[in-house]
Amino acid sequence: MFFYQRSHKRTFEDLVEVLAETVPNLELHEEVFDQEDPTDHAAIFEFLREALPRIRRKFGDRELVVHLSPGTPAMQTVWVLMAETGFIKQPFTVVQSYRAVDRRERPTVMPVRLGIDTFYKRYQESRPGGADTAERSVGWKPRFESPRSAAVYREAQRLAGLKVPILILGERGTGKTQLAGWIRQWSRWRKPERDRNWPAIACGQYTPETMRAELFGHSKGAFTDAKEARPGLLKHAHKDTLFLDEIGDISRELQRLLIKALEERQFQPLGSTTVEESDFRLLSATNLSLTALRARLDADFMDRISPFVLRVPALREIPEDIGWQWDEVLVAAARRAEVDLRYAKMAEPHRRRVLAALRAHPLPGNLRDLFRVAWRFLAARADQEAPLTVADAVDYALQALNGDSPDVANMGAHGLARAFADRVALEPILLDDGPLDPERLIAEFKRWFAQQVAVLAERTGRSESELTTMNDRTLRNWRRKEGSAGPE
């Protein structure tokens, strides 16, 4: 990879000519910095901020080597700062080289490391101990494309400074654990030595008895398998943050015990008469609605865990972020599936087709749906007996969104509906699947609407005629499988 200004194109061409003779198998990929001032720090930064994600997509998980010496002092400064503050995704190495007259017994090439401890690097390394979910393997991006995502994280940063519980709402696979980690990282209730395994637990994975032992610890002999005393998460969370995922699954007894621990900062391990202290900050999360959560939890406990409530938007609500999320998921899926990262490469036309399908789909599983698509793509590409082409692998992968017989040809109609709902301009990519068919979209909407009216009538106990201005005969016509463009 070679960066240069347009005014230095001749230098680049000369270099290509020389290297073709000395290293014939070397491939050079150019990135043009289309600015005349190589000392403009802001312009260099903006250029690199856009170029680096594109380069990482192109070369997957291969190590990037940043050579500082040929650049201007401004370029060197920006590169070093981006490397030290977390803007360059690992793996990478920053080096500088020395001319023979300047070496003074030093090697020709030396790595450059300042060792600056930054928030972004700490956050990327932070992992909650007991909430191991697929979305944890997706990296975090310092700049969100969606204003909604940016607003949620900005609000979380504001609330992080208060030692007050926060309840995080969001559908499954939206990244609630990531948001909890963000809050902890910005707060004073964090032990750096626990960053790689900080106190967290998924409540739905335990019985009330085993979860009590996990949270509060236990003494030796407290139950059949308690062969030795063991501290619980509350002990580890002292002066730190405790994250309770799937909070709606916690038992009534544990709710009362946690209220005591929150108010008095004290608790008793299971089977022990000793009172121990834990001054912790509580974060909790659920994929239930507030109404459903209130129905499950005691009112006193609900009040104590929800002075602040944050909602993580679903992916279908933030289509701007699906692009970089997909790029992260595809690489993460290859790592988790233990296949060669070369199979995670996808040319831009194919990538655009996947993104169009993802943005047109409701994605009820959010990041988990992206993983399902990614795994099918990798399975098709890494098939040792009969690997599919990238185009065919994309077809195969998109079946994960709609079962074994996806209506891929109708993705354009779904994109048309989303553009109408969001009041945004139509994108040319909607034409990739052929001409737009508004009549098909209208028929689909009528069928969906008539079905939903029937469901709503059953749930409310009211007649369909009370719920809509359409008559029964029209609704029956719209519900027909073949559908019709209008009433008889």
Side-chain angles (χ1 to χ4, degrees):
M1 180 62 62
F2 192 89
F3 290 87
Y4 66 91
Q5 290 176 265
R6 193 169 295 281
S7 58
H8 295 165
K9 184 171 180 58
R10 182 57 193 169
T11 303
F12 173 74
E13 293 171 347
D14 291 342
L15 178 65
V16 171
E17 186 176 340
V18 171
L19 289 176
E21 298 175 359
T22 56
V23 194
N25 295 327
L26 181 67
E27 291 185 12
L28 282 178
H29 302 264
E30 59 181 295
E31 287 283 344
V32 182
F33 175 56
D34 199 12
Q35 300 284 336
E36 292 302 320
D37 185 0
T39 66
D40 187 337
H41 292 79
I44 296 168
F45 174 75
E46 287 300 324
F47 169 73
L48 291 177
R49 186 164 65 171
E50 295 297 328
L52 285 171
R54 184 172 64 251
I55 293 168
R56 180 55 79 191
R57 280 201 309 272
K58 190 171 186 178
F59 295 101
D61 221 26
R62 295 169 64 181
E63 182 176 14
L64 302 180
V65 178
V66 180
H67 187 202
L68 298 176
S69 301
T72 64
M75 290 180 176
Q76 294 168 1
T77 300
V78 173
W79 273 115
V80 170
L81 288 175
M82 293 187 84
E84 290 291 323
T85 54
F87 271 88
I88 306 178
K89 185 182 175 184
Q90 292 284 0
F92 69 88
T93 302
V94 181
V95 301
Q96 62 182 359
S97 58
Y98 298 95
R99 295 175 299 179
V101 295
D102 297 327
R103 285 177 198 161
R104 302 173 188 172
E105 300 183 356
R106 291 178 294 196
T108 304
V109 178
M110 289 281 290
V112 177
R113 298 189 191 94
L114 301 186
I116 299 175
D117 183 29
T118 67
F119 170 84
Y120 297 120
K121 288 197 290 188
R122 292 197 308 269
Y123 177 71
Q124 289 166 349
E125 294 173 355
S126 176
R127 292 290 184 273
D132 191 12
T133 56
E135 56 265 26
R136 274 183 50 193
S137 58
V138 179
W140 180 83
K141 190 180 182 185
R143 185 189 66 173
F144 290 104
E145 303 296 336
S146 160
R148 288 191 63 175
S149 294
V152 169
Y153 274 76
R154 178 66 189 89
E155 180 71 0
Q157 180 181 339
R158 178 181 293 116
L159 303 181
L162 302 179
K163 188 168 176 274
V164 176
I166 298 176
L167 173 62
I168 302 172
L169 304 179
E171 296 178 7
R172 57 191 175 91
T174 50
K176 298 184 291 295
T177 301
Q178 285 184 314
L179 182 58
W182 169 265
I183 294 169
R184 176 183 178 271
Q185 204 68 36
W186 275 105
S187 75
R188 290 179 285 119
W189 299 278
R190 165 184 166 265
K191 290 181 180 177
E193 63 270 22
R194 289 202 170 276
D195 278 355
R196 294 184 183 273
N197 191 31
W198 59 275
I201 188 172
C203 304
Q205 296 178 4
Y206 297 88
T207 65
E209 293 76 16
T210 55
M211 186 172 172
R212 180 176 177 182
E214 288 289 324
L215 279 176
F216 295 88
H218 59 79
S219 63
K220 181 179 179 180
F223 48 88
T224 303
D225 295 326
K227 298 178 181 178
E228 59 183 5
R230 178 184 169 190
L233 286 180
L234 286 183
K235 184 75 171 178
H236 293 312
H238 181 55
K239 301 300 182 184
D240 205 321
T241 297
L242 174 64
F243 177 49
L244 299 180
D245 198 9
E246 304 172 35
I247 190 67
D249 292 326
I250 197 168
S251 70
R252 301 275 175 167
E253 180 187 5
L254 282 177
Q255 292 175 44
R256 292 191 292 272
L257 292 174
L258 277 170
I259 289 175
K260 180 179 177 65
L262 278 169
E263 290 185 341
E264 301 178 11
R265 302 180 186 177
Q266 293 181 337
F267 67 98
Q268 278 183 266
L270 186 63
S272 173
T273 58
T274 303
V275 176
E276 300 190 21
E277 291 188 357
S278 180
D279 183 13
F280 64 95
R281 197 269 185 79
L282 179 65
L283 303 176
S284 53
T286 182
N287 57 20
L288 300 172
S289 67
L290 275 177
T291 301
L293 188 63
R294 288 193 180 99
R296 288 197 184 191
L297 301 181
D298 286 335
D300 286 345
F301 184 67
M302 182 69 187
D303 289 342
R304 282 167 174 80
I305 67 171
S306 59
F308 290 111
V309 177
L310 294 173
R311 181 180 176 274
V312 184
L315 277 182
R316 62 182 171 275
E317 299 170 335
I318 48 171
E320 307 97 321
D321 285 330
I322 289 178
W324 69 265
Q325 297 259 28
W326 166 251
D327 298 334
E328 295 277 352
V329 163
L330 187 55
V331 174
R335 289 200 198 100
R336 292 184 57 160
E338 298 185 7
V339 300
D340 195 303
L341 287 172
R342 73 176 184 273
Y343 295 121
K345 290 185 178 180
M346 181 179 289
E348 190 59 29
H350 302 301
R351 176 177 178 267
R352 290 203 326 268
R353 182 161 175 248
V354 171
L355 295 185
L358 293 174
R359 286 170 178 151
H361 196 275
L363 300 176
N366 296 285
L367 283 176
R368 298 175 192 179
D369 287 331
L370 268 60
F371 269 99
R372 290 193 298 115
V373 174
W375 278 320
R376 285 184 69 93
F377 177 79
L378 293 169
R381 294 291 292 149
D383 186 342
Q384 297 302 308
E385 297 299 325
L388 300 183
T389 65
V390 176
D392 288 342
V394 168
D395 287 339
Y396 180 74
L398 292 178
Q399 292 177 19
L401 298 178
N402 295 283
D404 293 331
S405 302
D407 188 10
V408 176
N410 200 34
M411 287 299 179
H414 294 163
L416 183 65
R418 182 171 294 280
F420 172 76
D422 294 340
R423 294 296 193 271
V424 297
L426 295 179
E427 294 291 341
I429 195 170
L430 294 179
L431 301 172
D432 285 3
D433 294 318
L436 297 175
D437 185 356
E439 291 300 325
R440 178 198 289 262
L441 176 61
I442 293 169
E444 277 199 357
F445 172 76
K446 289 178 177 179
R447 186 161 55 252
W448 171 85
F449 177 79
Q451 291 168 347
Q452 291 301 310
V453 169
V455 172
L456 191 59
E458 182 177 349
R459 290 175 59 188
T460 61
R462 300 167 66 183
S463 66
E464 294 184 9
S465 60
E466 295 180 80
L467 303 177
T468 175
T469 58
M470 308 309 298
N471 60 49
D472 292 344
R473 184 183 181 189
T474 297
L475 291 172
R476 284 195 301 272
N477 285 336
W478 287 1
R479 276 195 289 268
R480 288 178 179 173
K481 187 173 181 180
E482 293 75 21
S484 63
E488 293 179 342

